[in-house]
Amino acid sequence: MSSERPDISPLTLNRLSVYLRCLKLLEVEGIERISSQELADRFGLSSSQIRKDLAQFGDFGVRGVGYQTSPLAERLESLLNLDVQHRLIVVGMGNLGSALARYLGFNDRSFQIVAGVDSAPERIGRKIGSVSVMPFDDLETVVTESQADIGVIAVPQEAAQAAYDRLVATGIRAILNFAPAVLDEVDGVSLKNVDMRIHLEELSFFL
Amino acid sequence: MSSERPDISPLTLNRLSVYLRCLKLLEVEGIERISSQELADRFGLSSSQIRKDLAQFGDFGVRGVGYQTSPLAERLESLLNLDVQHRLIVVGMGNLGSALARYLGFNDRSFQIVAGVDSAPERIGRKIGSVSVMPFDDLETVVTESQADIGVIAVPQEAAQAAYDRLVATGIRAILNFAPAVLDEVDGVSLKNVDMRIHLEELSFFL
DNA sequence: AGATGTGAATGAGTTCACAGCT
DNA sequence: AGCTGTGAACTCATTCACATCT
């Protein structure tokens, strides 16, 4: 059916993203080549884990030498699909949503905010950063016209499931959820939850 | 030295927070008693995991009966230290920081925003939600006077380590970091990273 | 009967340690 | 000599399955 993605654990995927960030920092410093050991030391990672993670996707390194910073960064970017620009639509333009609209995809090559919707009449038409707030009811049209491919949920808990379902109905296949809700997921749609309350509660535990 | 916390895996800790949220929802529905199976079905969890997680902290359930919603919620709240109110200070009152100041701890029993600091002179003195922005340079004083016990980092990547170090120097022992940076951690300080870029990159991978 | 609490079995993820390439 | 790529060992986490209690 859909084209096959290599089978990769979420934890590894997370780390690839981290490695990419580290490599970018090294590029800025002008470092062209680095060993897994050195990379691990610098950023508090594990060298064998770096090697194992990277080896999954081809022989990026050269024995006796290490990894070439820029080519590896490029391979990771393309593996993570970051060479295509993604278009975000934010559902819920309250405090958090507006801030995300201004913050996410700001000054960024891979992610760009293309639309924002809200159901509160008083917010509709407002201009937040580069987008104007459109009515939630027009979600389908807004998604189609803006060609958004990632949905961002920034509505209150009780509205989160509806926002999710509506986004999925528009054909969106990747969703970042900031609402503190356990969503009923649809197959074939990637979902990442950013749950600040859970994080705060974890911190609270250690206090 | 410091009093001993029961040894608990981060994954379990995460789930306790989830269980607590589910129980709260059940309380609202007026459900006073629930089995691990029913709880699992409702919220897409695993019943044996629920039992194992909960059993670590005492016999919360009754065989043949299940768990009492409210008492269990209370036990979890006290286990997670949520019966004390925590006081958050936000470092970096730009777009994201301001939104967090308005969003986090809003209408919440356990978390309250008590202060915000920034290093940009033009932001100082502004009133965001219930707090006024104070100078970053006065961090020590602000933390002391506001009695903040959790720090929230919402500065750009390059300023994140400095913000972290300064927070730690004030005596803060729990930090929530929104900057896309791999921080050099200090022992004895709890740190949770909320890295939206990593989340977006993960979603991108599946598109 | 019904649902917990838990050892035992399985599975996932990480680290070790070294063979093999440059 | 140096550093990757990788099987094998180990550690951590989840699921199974059932004895145990109400």
Side-chain angles (χ1 to χ4, degrees):
Chain A
M1 204 151 8
S2 65
S3 77
E4 202 47 39
R5 284 266 121 207
D7 207 4
I8 177 180
S9 99
L11 291 161
T12 304
L13 187 50
N14 235 284
R15 286 192 299 264
L16 291 183
S17 204
V18 172
Y19 301 156
L20 176 57
R21 179 176 300 164
C22 297
L23 291 167
K24 290 272 180 71
L25 291 172
L26 293 172
E27 274 185 303
V28 171
E29 284 190 56
I31 292 165
E32 293 173 3
R33 187 163 37 74
I34 193 162
S35 70
S36 58
Q37 187 57 64
E38 168 83 9
L39 188 57
D41 290 347
R42 283 213 185 205
F43 299 101
L45 311 168
S46 136
S47 65
S48 57
Q49 191 157 62
I50 292 171
R51 294 200 299 280
K52 191 147 259 182
D53 285 339
L54 295 178
Q56 278 184 65
F57 307 100
D59 295 9
F60 290 146
V62 180
R63 288 167 203 242
V65 177
Y67 300 88
Q68 297 294 122
T69 318
S70 298
L72 179 55
E74 266 171 47
R75 298 287 302 270
L76 289 181
E77 282 196 322
S78 111
L79 186 70
L80 295 171
N81 252 307
L82 297 171
D83 35 16
V84 224
Q85 194 178 52
H86 296 289
R87 301 166 69 82
L88 313 187
I89 177 167
V90 179
V91 180
M93 295 292 277
N95 281 329
L96 185 63
S98 317
L100 292 173
R102 274 187 283 246
Y103 176 81
L104 292 171
F106 186 64
N107 204 0
D108 195 290
R109 198 156 60 82
S110 311
F111 301 99
Q112 192 195 347
I113 301 280
V114 293
V117 299
D118 202 294
S119 56
E122 69 272 21
R123 287 188 190 140
I124 294 171
R126 270 199 219 166
K127 183 105 178 162
I128 307 284
S130 57
V131 304
S132 349
V133 181
M134 305 288 286
F136 175 69
D137 285 339
D138 299 349
L139 188 65
E140 279 75 6
T141 329
V142 177
V143 168
T144 311
E145 288 181 357
S146 63
Q147 295 175 60
D149 62 345
I150 297 180
V152 177
I153 298 180
V155 300
Q157 166 166 201
E158 57 278 13
Q161 188 66 52
Y164 177 85
D165 295 339
R166 286 288 297 275
L167 275 171
V168 171
T170 67
I172 286 229
R173 287 293 164 266
I175 295 175
L176 186 59
N177 172 42
F178 286 87
V182 185
L183 297 174
D184 206 0
E185 291 189 46
V186 173
D187 257 25
V189 179
S190 315
L191 173 68
K192 291 296 305 176
N193 292 296
V194 179
D195 199 317
M196 303 183 207
R197 166 158 285 271
I198 290 181
H199 289 302
L200 284 176
E201 292 187 356
E202 284 183 73
L203 287 175
S204 167
F205 174 78
F206 293 105
L207 284 173
Chain B
M1 213 162 350
S2 64
S3 78
E4 203 47 39
R5 285 265 122 206
D7 208 4
I8 176 181
S9 98
L11 290 161
T12 303
L13 187 50
N14 235 284
R15 286 193 299 265
L16 291 183
S17 203
V18 172
Y19 301 155
L20 176 57
R21 179 176 301 163
C22 297
L23 290 167
K24 291 272 182 73
L25 291 171
L26 293 172
E27 275 186 301
V28 171
E29 282 190 57
I31 293 165
E32 293 174 5
R33 186 163 38 74
I34 192 162
S35 71
S36 57
Q37 187 57 62
E38 169 83 8
L39 188 57
D41 290 347
R42 283 212 183 206
F43 299 100
L45 311 168
S46 139
S47 65
S48 57
Q49 191 156 66
I50 292 170
R51 295 200 298 281
K52 192 146 261 189
D53 285 340
L54 295 179
Q56 277 184 67
F57 307 99
D59 294 9
F60 290 145
V62 180
R63 289 165 203 243
V65 177
Y67 299 88
Q68 297 294 121
T69 317
S70 298
L72 179 53
E74 266 170 47
R75 297 290 301 267
L76 289 181
E77 282 197 320
S78 109
L79 187 68
L80 294 171
N81 251 307
L82 297 171
D83 35 16
V84 224
Q85 193 178 55
H86 296 290
R87 303 167 68 83
L88 313 186
I89 176 167
V90 179
V91 179
M93 294 293 276
N95 280 328
L96 185 63
S98 316
L100 292 173
R102 273 186 284 248
Y103 175 80
L104 293 172
F106 185 64
N107 205 1
D108 194 290
R109 199 157 59 84
S110 311
F111 302 99
Q112 190 196 349
I113 300 280
V114 293
V117 300
D118 202 293
S119 56
E122 69 271 21
R123 288 189 190 136
I124 293 171
R126 271 200 219 164
K127 183 106 178 163
I128 308 283
S130 58
V131 305
S132 347
V133 182
M134 304 290 282
F136 176 69
D137 284 339
D138 300 348
L139 188 64
E140 278 76 7
T141 328
V142 177
V143 168
T144 311
E145 287 181 358
S146 63
Q147 296 176 58
D149 62 345
I150 297 181
V152 177
I153 298 179
V155 300
Q157 167 168 198
E158 56 278 11
Q161 187 67 53
Y164 177 85
D165 295 338
R166 286 288 296 273
L167 276 171
V168 172
T170 68
I172 286 230
R173 287 293 164 265
I175 295 176
L176 186 59
N177 171 43
F178 286 88
V182 184
L183 296 174
D184 207 0
E185 292 189 46
V186 173
D187 257 26
V189 178
S190 315
L191 173 68
K192 293 295 306 176
N193 291 295
V194 179
D195 198 319
M196 303 182 205
R197 164 157 287 268
I198 289 182
H199 290 302
L200 285 174
E201 292 188 355
E202 282 182 75
L203 287 174
S204 167
F205 173 79
F206 293 106
L207 285 173

Short mmCIF file of all heavy atoms in Angstrom, two decimals, chain B residues 6 175 178:
data_model
loop_
_atom_site.label_atom_id
_atom_site.label_comp_id
_atom_site.label_asym_id
_atom_site.label_seq_id
_atom_site.Cartn_x
_atom_site.Cartn_y
_atom_site.Cartn_z
N PRO B 6 11.73 6.82 46.13
CA PRO B 6 11.71 5.44 45.66
C PRO B 6 12.29 5.38 44.25
O PRO B 6 12.12 6.31 43.47
CB PRO B 6 10.22 5.09 45.66
CG PRO B 6 9.48 6.39 45.78
CD PRO B 6 10.42 7.33 46.46
N ILE B 175 14.13 21.79 36.33
CA ILE B 175 14.12 22.69 35.17
C ILE B 175 13.44 22.04 33.97
O ILE B 175 13.69 20.88 33.64
CB ILE B 175 15.57 23.10 34.81
CG1 ILE B 175 16.18 23.91 35.97
CG2 ILE B 175 15.61 23.89 33.50
CD1 ILE B 175 17.62 24.30 35.78
N PHE B 178 12.79 24.34 27.09
CA PHE B 178 12.17 24.37 25.77
C PHE B 178 13.15 24.75 24.68
O PHE B 178 12.78 24.77 23.51
CB PHE B 178 11.01 25.38 25.77
CG PHE B 178 9.80 24.89 26.49
CD1 PHE B 178 9.63 25.10 27.85
CD2 PHE B 178 8.81 24.19 25.80
CE1 PHE B 178 8.51 24.63 28.52
CE2 PHE B 178 7.68 23.73 26.47
CZ PHE B 178 7.54 23.95 27.82
#
